[in-house]
Amino acid sequence: MDSSLTLSLSHTNSDTHDLIGTYFLEQWRLKSKAAVRKSESVMGVSENQYLMEIDSEECEEELPTELDTLHSSGGFSIVGSDKLSVRYPNAHLHGHDVGVVQANRPAPCKRLVYYFEIFVENAGTKGQIAIGFTTPGFKLRRQPGWESNSYGYHGDDGLLYRGQGKGEAFGPAYSTGDTVGGGINYASQELFFTKNGTVVGTVFKDVKGPLFPTVAVHSQHEVVTVNFGKRPFVFDLKAYEAQERAKQHSTIEKLSIPQNASYGIVRAYLQHYGYEDTLKTFDVESRSTLPPISFVQENGFAEDVSVYSLNQRKVLRQLIRSGQIGDAFGKLRELYPQILQDGTSAICFLLHCQNFIELVRVGKLEEAVLYGRTEFEKFYKLGDYDDLVKDCAALLAYEQPQKSSVGYLLGDSQRDIVADAVNAMVLSTNPSVKDSRECLHSRLDRLLRQLSACFLAKRTFNGDQGEGFHLHRILNSGMKG
């Protein structure tokens, strides 16, 4: 073979190995960081519970909790000591003698719905109370809805004001003893208002920036209290959210997809990860359905790429997941020696680490120490792996390492990282593979990533407002439903 071609192929293999190896090392690092957070804050919960908590943490935002007492409307509102009540102190002389108070924080926006309520303790002499949403810097001497980029549902006339002095027919007036609420539906990009637990109406939200829950009083003796969620709402918010999700699901259910689409995705998943026996059972069962499911190659996917070395990949995964790393090394040397050619590669590092972990797992600590001294030194000197070497070595420092911050290494999920890395490396040896990144994920994995990207794109379009894509929440809701 021409020497220049040999050199080119060597560089290509090296680049492929680096790309795949680096990806799975980063997966390990992410898992390590998550394990530290878990040990610090949520000890004692199951792994599935923790993953669901991570999903919710991604959208964790500070909520409004009280009224803002730092910014004043010039003496035309007096906030109570509890910072949840406001009253109008005297008779107003001018139209701009309004007492307006915003919440201490804007409404959180990375969610489906935000909502708060006020209770009218006293409608005063004229009942000119308002509830609404305003932007930062809003003039606190003007009713919400009178200025641009603000919205207000007014009690004296039941009109809705949005950015101008003229109101529009909206709902009933409200007065002493009424509970009125204001909410933001980020899915539909609408504001909605309620009275005594019933939705009054909705209005399109054309402001993309942050909005503060806002209340206003404008005549003598008016008193309102605000509930930001510390007490149960009169309005059934959970039922409303469930109704909104049902609308989304109904829209999804109306979409038409090919009969064999889900079959093809599941089959491709089993092929990609080398689950040969399950794949055979799946194919047998699919042929027994009425009508039988047939899978037609579409979108340029070639099945021979995903079935490449299927049996060998199955055997390697079984060996790694059962902790037989020495046998996995032997199989790789026999079948794919090019994968282990560079003894300091990321894939070699992953395998050696797993071998060390398996020795600790079965209590062969002295053997683990000797193995670590022999194999880890070359990796530690490189500097690229020192943090992960330290994680492995830390297993020896604990009497019960499974309960420590590095206990995650003894779980099956760590074996899965190594098994997935080896699986991707074997797939990359297929001459038909033109881009080694295709070896990292199955079509199902790519579909889930695309779904997440679509949710994020939608949220970006709506001014970074709305929910992200949380797989655990969706799966959990499916199990409940």
Side-chain angles (χ1 to χ4, degrees), residues 55-56 58-61 63 107-116 133 182-192 202-203 205 211 235-249 251-252 455 458-459 462 464-470 473-474 477:
D55 269 351
S56 63
E58 291 174 357
C59 280
E60 196 68 35
E61 301 172 277
L63 300 172
C109 59
K110 292 180 173 62
R111 55 182 57 211
L112 179 65
V113 174
Y114 172 74
Y115 181 77
F116 78 108
F133 294 92
I184 307 175
N185 184 330
Y186 291 108
S188 63
Q189 286 294 294
E190 291 178 321
L191 303 178
F192 65 96
T202 63
V203 59
K205 183 179 76 67
L211 288 172
F235 177 64
D236 192 339
L237 184 59
K238 288 190 179 297
Y240 178 83
E241 290 177 336
Q243 184 181 24
E244 290 304 303
R245 294 194 192 282
K247 289 179 183 177
Q248 295 177 349
H249 293 161
T251 301
I252 293 171
F455 268 79
K458 179 183 177 183
R459 190 160 72 184
N462 289 329
D464 199 29
Q465 298 177 349
E467 293 182 299
F469 177 68
H470 301 300
R473 188 197 64 224
I474 292 172
S477 66

Side-chain angles (χ1 to χ4, degrees), residues 61 117 139 158 203 278 283 285 289 303 419 445 453:
E61 301 172 277
E117 286 182 342
K139 296 177 182 179
V203 59
T278 306
D283 283 343
E285 292 298 323
T289 62
E303 186 170 80
D445 298 323

Side-chain angles (χ1 to χ4, degrees), residues 133 138 143-152 160-166 168 206:
F133 294 92
F138 181 77
Q143 285 273 16
W146 283 4
E147 297 289 323
S148 61
N149 299 323
S150 68
Y151 310 84
L160 177 77
Y161 293 78
R162 45 173 172 169
Q164 53 186 349
K166 184 178 180 181
E168 54 192 80
D206 49 9

